[in-house]
Amino acid sequence: MEAIEVTDLRKTYGDTRAVDGVTFTVRAGETFGIVGHNGAGKTTTVECLIGLRRPDAGAVRVLGEDPARRRRALAQRIGAQLQESSLPERIKVAEALRMFGSFYRDAADWRQLMERWGLQPLARKAFGDLSGGQKQRLMLALALVGAPEVVVLDELTTGLDPIARRETWRLVNDLKMTGTTVVLVSHYFDETEALCDRVAVLARGRVRAMGTPGDIVAQTGTASLEEAYFALEGADR
Amino acid sequence: MKAFTALTATELRLLLRDPASLFFMIAFPLMLLVLKRGDGDAVPGYLAMIVAIGGMGALPGIVASYRERKVLKRLATTPISPVLLLGAQLVAQVAAGLAGSVLLVATAIAAFGAQAPGNVPVLAAAFLLCSVMACSLGFVIAAVVRNTRGASLIGMLVMFPMIFLSGAAVPRKALPDALRRIGDFLPLTPGVDALRVAWSGTAAVFPLLILAGIIVVATAVAATLFRWE
């Protein structure tokens, strides 16, 4: 079954074609990567997925529904971790989890979630006093507190030190094990390669390549996804 | 409803966790009362001052920071509307103002032998309208000024002259004529009047109507100009 279907998605801001005909599908239970450099159209694409933006053209279906029309209903079933989003400085970790849990009809047990994601020792710490890695861990847990079927993670590890990054990877791997559909947006090729079943490589609003990281690497005759990206982009210029 | 209750409880806790709002809404009015040797006539004005400090002094910065730090955007990905967070902030401001006010009134009566308010239901209505009015002006500031620092600063620049010229912090009788006339046009002045009249035991409808009118206009302006990101 397809959890997400995006067909010829287009979105323009002024003169800038942020997304210029993007098509992909994500199967239920899959971890799907959207990778590319800044300005490739990644964030606009995921914001259309969660109904924060209305596409200019093209079709988006998430769990069989149109996010632009059914944002509220879909929000019960989608968890999102947005790029650079944050919480009030003085809110405490446990408080945030409990509060976000109250937004959903069938929420996960926030105490269990706190335990499972290693946030228990931070329960009484204020958001503003957390380290970058701890903040990301909380934002990830908040994306899961509604017991979502689809989780969208945008720039999960940007700004984290290497140890916190690896730790976050481990958490995403744990999440994969639960059978949740994950859309992982990143400008780190190694991260996408390590975590994703399939990947769409985006450049200038278009899909340049799609498939398993191994396939893309093999097709381009390169050694890594990052090299594959530069081979694809280089050939285009 | 469950979500709104949780949001409001959290917003109220966040307010009470902030040393600045705690000081200005609770300790500062008590200090003024002590400096005035417990003068009961000053109390209704101080109630208006408390809600003005919260609604215009603190609220714009808080709301602007929720926008700037993408708290509102994060909420927009959940099943609840970010409007609920603004509503929760409003209720929390009214509640925090009420806590500071009850403490002030109780101190004035118990410690300084001030006369108890004459018409409590009308006083409560005046307090509620005055508080919501101050918050609605705060929302207008947060709608017009985009960044957190700017919104905090403009909030303070609007609030401070207003509490002095409207009769909230000092009686308008003590002001020079020209300044007193400015007070006639300030939205907090009918708030002070309404509280003062209710405190003395009579009920004047006119200032309450003006407050309600300001709330309607300011809310419409804020709703039109507000940007979520």
Side-chain angles (χ1 to χ4, degrees):
Chain A
M1 202 198 86
E2 314 291 5
I4 298 171
E5 290 176 87
V6 174
T7 316
D8 200 25
L9 176 68
R10 287 167 199 275
K11 181 79 192 176
T12 304
Y13 305 117
D15 292 336
T16 319
R17 285 187 200 164
V19 178
D20 192 14
V22 163
T23 300
F24 63 88
T25 58
V26 181
R27 287 187 281 269
E30 187 173 48
T31 297
F32 187 83
I34 299 176
V35 68
H37 284 173
N38 298 336
K42 306 185 299 287
T43 293
T44 301
T45 303
V46 296
E47 288 187 350
C48 289
L49 288 183
I50 54 183
L52 287 182
R53 292 192 192 284
R54 193 175 280 274
D56 292 338
V60 179
R61 285 284 173 281
V62 179
L63 300 167
E65 311 230 45
D66 178 357
R69 290 164 188 277
R70 303 263 299 150
R71 187 185 74 74
R72 293 284 183 79
L74 268 176
Q76 291 281 358
R77 305 167 68 191
I78 306 179
Q81 181 268 326
L82 296 176
Q83 199 177 343
E84 292 163 3
S85 73
S86 60
L87 298 175
E89 290 284 312
R90 291 178 209 277
I91 198 168
K92 291 176 180 169
V93 169
E95 222 169 32
L97 282 162
R98 189 181 53 212
M99 185 179 85
F100 272 71
S102 75
F103 300 162
Y104 298 88
R105 260 197 313 269
D106 304 302
D109 181 340
W110 63 269
R111 286 187 186 83
Q112 261 177 27
L113 209 57
M114 191 162 72
E115 193 86 42
R116 214 180 96 213
W117 294 88
L119 291 163
Q120 188 68 57
L122 306 171
R124 298 178 61 80
K125 245 187 156 183
F127 182 77
D129 295 334
L130 300 179
S131 72
Q134 291 168 338
K135 279 182 183 162
Q136 276 314 52
R137 211 184 320 158
L138 174 60
M139 295 313 270
L140 228 164
L142 290 179
L144 302 176
V145 80
E149 294 158 63
V150 173
V151 177
V152 176
L153 307 172
D154 192 0
E155 300 291 1
L156 191 59
T157 62
T158 301
L160 297 189
D161 66 49
I163 295 169
R165 234 180 121 214
R166 290 289 164 156
E167 168 67 12
T168 309
W169 287 15
R170 195 181 60 71
L171 297 174
V172 175
N173 265 319
D174 286 354
L175 180 61
K176 285 179 66 165
M177 297 304 163
T178 63
T180 312
T181 308
V182 181
V183 176
L184 182 83
V185 178
S186 181
H187 60 241
Y188 294 121
F189 292 92
D190 57 342
E191 179 167 302
T192 322
E193 203 167 351
L195 296 173
C196 297
D197 303 318
R198 284 193 315 128
V199 179
V201 178
L202 246 61
R204 285 164 284 139
R206 289 164 180 269
V207 178
R208 306 296 301 163
M210 190 154 50
T212 67
D215 284 348
I216 296 173
V217 169
Q219 276 161 24
T220 50
T222 52
S224 71
L225 195 58
E226 181 154 19
E227 282 181 29
Y229 172 83
F230 286 113
L232 286 163
E233 277 296 275
D236 203 56
R237 273 170 202 162
Chain B
M1 202 58 214
K2 183 180 62 157
F4 187 68
T5 311
L7 275 170
T8 306
T10 307
E11 285 300 296
L12 186 58
R13 275 198 300 271
L14 293 180
L15 268 186
L16 299 179
R17 223 170 262 165
D18 175 20
S21 59
L22 213 56
F23 175 77
F24 280 109
M25 292 179 81
I26 291 170
F28 181 62
L30 285 174
M31 279 169 49
L32 288 186
L33 183 72
V34 173
L35 289 174
K36 292 272 267 178
R37 296 196 186 83
D39 176 10
D41 291 345
V43 172
Y46 290 170
L47 302 186
M49 181 184 74
I50 290 173
V51 299
I53 290 172
M56 290 181 257
L59 183 142
I62 294 171
V63 171
S65 84
Y66 286 174
R67 176 176 51 211
E68 190 166 282
R69 303 180 63 243
K70 300 199 182 183
V71 177
L72 295 175
K73 193 172 179 184
R74 178 63 186 80
L75 274 190
T77 72
T78 72
I80 67 142
S81 161
V83 176
L84 279 190
L85 179 65
L86 303 187
Q89 170 63 214
L90 169 83
V91 176
Q93 287 289 355
V94 174
L98 185 64
S101 298
V102 168
L103 190 65
L104 180 75
V105 171
T107 309
I109 294 168
F112 296 102
Q115 202 152 25
N119 193 332
V120 175
V122 177
L123 183 70
F127 177 83
L128 182 67
L129 282 172
C130 190
S131 181
V132 174
M133 190 278 297
C135 290
S136 69
L137 294 180
F139 282 120
V140 171
I141 295 168
V144 175
V145 190
R146 305 307 292 272
N147 64 45
T148 307
R149 270 174 189 229
S152 300
L153 182 68
I154 300 294
M156 293 290 182
L157 288 177
V158 171
M159 181 270 288
F160 268 113
M162 208 184 291
I163 61 174
F164 287 107
L165 298 178
S166 65
V170 289
R172 286 175 75 202
K173 276 174 291 196
L175 297 174
D177 268 356
L179 291 181
R180 199 183 313 170
R181 245 171 273 134
I182 297 176
D184 287 340
F185 300 99
L186 294 175
L188 195 59
T189 309
V192 175
D193 290 345
L195 288 162
R196 192 152 279 156
V197 170
W199 185 277
S200 71
T202 47
V205 179
F206 190 59
L208 298 180
L209 288 177
I210 297 179
L211 290 176
I214 298 170
I215 292 169
V216 170
V217 173
T219 307
V221 170
T224 312
L225 298 179
F226 198 82
R227 293 288 167 269
W228 292 101
E229 45 178 308

